[in-house]
Each structure stands twice: as structure tokens, then as C-alpha cells.
Amino acid sequence: MIRRLLARLIPGRAARKPRVYGPEQHSVRRERLSHAARTVIRRLQDEGFHAYIVGGAVRDLLLGIDPKDFDLATNATPEQVKPLFRRAFIIGRRFRLVHVHVGAEVIEVSTFRAAQVGGDTTDEHGRLLSDNVYGTHAQDALRRDFTINALYFDPSDESIWDFTGGVADIRARRLRLIGPSVTRYREDPVRMLRAVRLAAKLGLAIERKTAEPITRLASLMQNVPPARLFDEMQKLLLSGHSVETLRSLRAHGLSHGLLPLLDMILEQPLGQKFIDVALAHTDARVREGKGVSPAFLFATLLWHEVLASWTQAKARGEKPLPALFEAMDSVLSRQAERIAIPRRFEATIKEIWSLQPRFEQRAGARPFRLLEHPRFRAAYDFLALRGESGEVAGPLVEWWTRFQTETAEGRAAMLKPEEAPKKKRRPRGRGRKRAAALADAAKDSASTDEPTSD
Ligand code: ATP
Ligand code: MG
């Protein structure tokens, strides 16, 4: 009795017995694992450890989807795992994992852990601040988020170990949190985002008790560190199902405050169209197995915010190009407060944006110089999206599409007549420094103004 009560209060403590499904009871075959995953498991098992494929890969295989990577769970500690492999690295400060490299593949090996409950392990909203205690196999299952993510596959006998009813949920195409939903969301609000993302991506229904608290608890997302939010947002946007996922996020009241600027953008008619077009393109590319650049995607999500700031600055009488740079900086820094777009993306995002005015210039040597710019392709794709959403005129995009494939004579014939030359003023004193900073983008843009139509 007391044990059962304790088990209810402290979910990780429950000594649950797993249901073990034999190979005749499910469709996952060991041949579906990568060579690297099988090698690492076999080595651990040969040393007498328990080792399983866990999480997304087992779930995806049961659903008939090709897993994107294979994660392992074992009762061996990182210190016991590392010496068994030639190229193995212990990573992570807070919780230590081992990355085992086999050929080009990296297998993430984590030691069974237990959820920590009580004491000073949560903040005032109930968010878990640490989860770095080793545990049993059953505890490892119960600390995971959804039942379908808590399945373990042992390739040696092709058995699936299920502590939480995940196999039944997969068969019913149902997404269900492990444990009491409000507590689990408070421990880690990102689970709300994951619920919506996984349901949309896998075509699952979110079970009632799992779905019900989301809208009410949505504001807890404010409490999540920006870098984690960025990782989940990136997964969401690059899942190949971003359009449905964002729709569903909005339906659950989760889009507000996530990408705060997105909220504003969605209220602008042109911005909405632009983002829909951009996300639909991204989804199509992901589903075709083509590469997608996160920097490009973030550039699209924030573009209309930049446009709005830029237009305002110009209306205040600022020169177009400095105004554009100012708008880019202010949008990126505001966004960084919530979602830490890593610096390595910022440079590319800015380049894509700052090349946009240069597409307006179709006289003289300028179009040729733009064509040679290392970011031309991304900037042109971006222009095409602007065209598709109705922000710039179709003929401008068509001109650039043709210009790329024309012969030298064809290109020469396409050039627009030069405008009357403007008097160039040399900047003096302090203005010179600013001008130098803008030099690269500015060199072809003396006459840049508002995007115009053909
Ligand atoms: P994807 O296919 O999108 O990678 P995934 O389920 O594999 O989905 P990961 O972020 O790779 O997602 O996480 C691996 C596993 O770790 C999950 O399957 C789940 O068992 C566990 N996990 C991930 N995030 C959480 C979380 N916030 N709370 C509890 N468990 C989690
Ligand atoms: Mg995964």
C-alpha cells in the first residue's frame, strides 16, 4: 500500500515490470539498424552490459519510418563505455553521454538515468534543473517524455521492452505523456512543443489528458532557456511538416511568445503569405531529402519585421542602405532575447537580406557582380519567395531567372539603360568610418531605394 502510494508520488521509483514483445509480435528487424548501431550494441553486450536502441528510432521503425539516427541506452557508465571503442568521446557537462564514432556515423550512448523529484532540483515553476542521477532500466523509461519514446529494442533477440504501454499507443496512433501531465509539463515546458511537433510529424492524435493542459500552461515557455528553444524550433521548422505544426501550435495557443516576432508577422497579410510560401518550400525540400539551410529559413521568418523597420527608418529620412542595416540589427537583437539564433547563422542571414536591394539594379556591371557573389544562390531563392508572395513584382524575378542562364550576348541585351549618373559625395570625418563598414553591400547600391516593380 505504502509502496504503491510512494510509487504514485515519485513516478521514477516505481519498480515497473516491462512487457516484453518477442519478434513474432512486432515488425522491427535488426537489419533495419545501421551497421554502427549494431556494432556498438554488440560490443557492449559482449562485455556483459545491457544495451538497447531507444527513443525516436524504435518509435519510427514501429511506424515504418526510416530513423534519422540511433540512440543507445545502457547500464554501463560513460567511464565504462569509453575504453571499449577506439573513437569514443565523453561529452556534456551537466549530463555525461558518450559519442561513439563508427565510420561516418555517431552513436549517442547514454547511461540509464532516473528522474529526480523534490528538493532543490526544480525551480519555482516546477522546472527540472538537473537530471543527472543514474538509475535502473525502468526509471530510465519513466523519465522519458512520451510512451512511444520510451521503447527499447534489443537486436540480439529482436525483443521490444515496454514499461509504459508505448507499443499499444503506437498501434492506436496516440501520443501520451508518461505520468501526470501538468507535472511533466512543469518539469520541462519544451515537452508541450514536442507533443505538438511529434503529433504533426507522425500523424498521431494527442491523447486528451496530454493535450488538455497545454493552452493553460503555454506561458511556461517563457521560462525555457533560449538556446533550448532554438534547438526545438529548428527541429520543428526542419521536420518536413512545419506548416501543419505551426498551425497546430497556434491551435494550442503555443505560438504566442515562442517566436514573438512571428506573432506580429502573422498579423501582416503579406508576411503571412510570405511565411506560408517559405515553409511550404522548406517542407517540400525536406520531404525530397534535399538539404535545407536553417539560416535561410530564419531569414525568411524575420524578413517582414526587417521590412517594417526598414520602411519606418526610411520614412524618418534615413538613407536606404544604412537604414536597412539598422533594421537588420535591431530585428536580430530583439529576436535573440527569446530565441538565441546562433552567431554562425547571423552572418548568412544578414547577407541574404542585404543582397536584396541589389536585385533592383539591372544596369551596367552590377548584375554581373551580384551573380558572382558567393551568396547569390540563396539571395536569389529568397527573392523568388518574395516574388511568389507578391512582395516584389514577378517580372523582376523572371528577369533574374533568365539572366542566370543566358549567354554573354543574351545577358548584355537584357541590361537596363544606365540611369543618369549621380554625383558621388565622399564621406568625411566620422561618416567615413560608417561608410567603410557598409562598403561591401553599399558598393553597388548608390541608387538603391524601396523595392520597385518592373
Ligand atoms: P526526433 O525524431 O525528432 O529526433 P526524438 O524523440 O528522437 O525525436 P530527441 O530530442 O532526439 O527526440 O530525444 C531522444 C529521446 O530522449 C526521446 O525519444 C525521449 O525518449 C527523450 N527525450 C527527449 N526530450 C525529452 C524531454 N524533454 N523530456 C523527457 N524525455 C525526453
Ligand atoms: Mg532523435
Side-chain angles (χ1 to χ4, degrees):
M1 172 71 191
I2 287 189
R3 258 179 78 166
R4 225 186 304 143
L5 186 69
L6 260 180
R8 279 233 318 266
L9 290 173
I10 312 174
R13 288 280 169 79
R16 290 238 199 158
K17 271 185 89 174
R19 166 142 188 213
V20 181
Y21 290 84
E24 68 292 348
Q25 292 171 292
H26 66 84
S27 59
V28 182
R29 295 291 82 95
R30 61 171 80 86
E31 292 73 35
R32 298 292 305 281
L33 308 185
S34 69
H35 166 72
R38 273 184 283 165
T39 309
V40 177
I41 291 206
R42 205 177 311 121
R43 182 87 180 90
L44 284 163
Q45 291 181 341
D46 285 348
E47 291 296 318
F49 296 113
H50 297 288
Y52 304 87
I53 299 290
V54 66
V58 185
R59 173 197 76 208
D60 289 352
L61 286 171
L62 276 169
L63 288 167
I65 301 171
D66 263 335
K68 43 179 210 315
D69 46 34
F70 295 93
D71 296 332
L72 260 66
T74 178
N75 62 346
T77 63
E79 290 71 23
Q80 290 171 318
V81 174
K82 185 174 151 59
L84 302 181
F85 302 96
R86 207 159 45 82
R87 288 190 298 144
F89 306 92
I90 296 182
I91 59 145
R93 241 173 298 153
R94 202 173 60 110
F95 192 80
R96 286 139 53 82
L97 307 164
V98 186
H99 276 181
V100 181
H101 294 244
V102 181
E105 234 184 296
V106 182
I107 303 293
E108 193 169 288
V109 181
S110 56
T111 306
F112 291 150
R113 333 173 211 169
Q116 274 182 308
V117 185
D120 53 5
T121 54
T122 59
D123 72 3
E124 75 273 24
H125 304 283
R127 189 166 69 87
L128 271 185
L129 298 174
S130 67
D131 57 350
N132 50 4
V133 174
Y134 296 139
T136 63
H137 191 177
Q139 287 172 326
D140 190 73
L142 295 175
R143 67 147 181 110
R144 291 176 185 273
D145 47 7
F146 305 104
T147 62
I148 62 167
N149 281 347
L151 296 170
Y152 299 76
F153 177 67
D154 180 349
S156 70
D157 60 1
E158 295 187 324
S159 59
I160 289 181
W161 295 54
D162 180 3
F163 294 84
T164 62
V167 171
D169 282 340
I170 284 194
R171 289 181 178 158
R173 303 196 76 84
R174 177 168 63 210
L175 189 77
R176 187 161 58 90
L177 265 175
I178 298 168
S181 40
V182 173
T183 314
R184 298 309 309 280
Y185 287 141
R186 285 192 178 277
E187 282 173 4
D188 183 3
V190 166
R191 289 172 185 152
M192 298 191 274
L193 210 53
R194 290 176 59 84
V196 173
R197 171 171 74 83
L198 289 171
K201 174 177 149 187
L202 303 169
L204 308 176
I206 308 180
E207 178 253 355
R208 191 181 55 80
K209 282 191 194 153
T210 299
E212 179 269 320
I214 294 182
T215 308
R216 196 156 34 92
L217 299 177
S219 65
L220 290 175
M221 297 297 299
Q222 302 298 327
N223 192 31
V224 176
R228 267 208 78 203
L229 217 46
F230 179 81
D231 285 346
E232 276 300 323
M233 277 305 288
Q234 187 169 321
K235 275 197 175 190
L236 189 159
L237 294 169
L238 301 178
S239 65
H241 300 267
S242 65
V243 173
E244 303 107 273
T245 312
L246 281 180
R247 196 179 301 131
S248 179
L249 281 179
R250 263 176 262 158
H252 285 99
L254 269 182
S255 65
H256 260 273
L258 245 198
L259 273 175
L261 297 174
L262 192 61
D263 301 340
M264 281 190 269
I265 294 158
L266 295 174
E267 280 146 30
Q268 305 165 19
L270 264 181
Q272 166 87 62
K273 179 82 195 296
F274 182 69
I275 285 174
D276 284 350
V277 170
L279 291 177
H281 271 264
T282 307
D283 285 352
R285 283 188 69 93
V286 172
R287 293 187 200 196
E288 286 162 28
K290 292 185 190 162
V292 180
S293 141
F296 184 87
L297 188 59
F298 280 96
T300 60
L301 292 182
L302 301 175
W303 172 242
H304 273 258
E305 194 53 27
V306 173
L307 264 188
S309 283
W310 187 25
T311 310
Q312 276 172 16
K314 281 188 296 188
R316 287 196 302 269
E318 288 180 39
K319 289 225 168 68
L321 214 68
L324 174 59
F325 275 77
E326 215 179 284
M328 297 191 318
D329 285 337
S330 85
V331 167
L332 282 173
S333 66
R334 260 183 287 160
Q335 188 63 29
E337 289 164 17
R338 281 307 293 142
I339 297 202
I341 295 179
R343 287 246 165 255
R344 65 179 190 281
F345 293 142
E346 271 191 19
T348 311
I349 294 174
K350 283 185 175 179
E351 262 180 324
I352 293 171
W353 287 342
S354 64
L355 289 175
Q356 295 308 306
R358 288 174 60 177
F359 285 105
E360 300 294 326
Q361 301 164 347
R362 289 172 288 166
R366 287 168 185 160
F368 295 95
R369 284 210 291 272
L370 184 52
L371 212 50
E372 277 159 28
H373 193 284
R375 288 274 177 238
F376 172 80
R377 188 69 219 180
Y380 163 77
D381 287 343
F382 198 86
L383 177 77
L385 289 180
R386 295 172 65 206
E388 222 176 295
S389 73
E391 183 214 326
V392 292
L396 178 68
V397 183
E398 283 151 28
W399 191 93
W400 278 101
T401 310
R402 229 185 92 203
F403 192 68
Q404 293 173 63
T405 54
E406 277 288 345
T407 57
E409 298 87 65
R411 282 180 184 166
M414 284 178 73
L415 295 176
K416 303 278 174 191
E418 284 277 8
E419 283 173 26
K422 279 189 183 170
K423 248 195 188 168
K424 280 204 173 152
R425 274 193 299 127
R426 290 227 154 267
R428 271 187 248 156
R430 275 177 28 205
R432 190 180 281 171
K433 208 170 159 196
R434 176 86 177 142
L438 297 173
D440 187 39
K443 67 179 163 237
D444 300 293
S445 306
S447 61
T448 295
D449 210 326
E450 190 95 38
T452 49
S453 53
D454 233 15

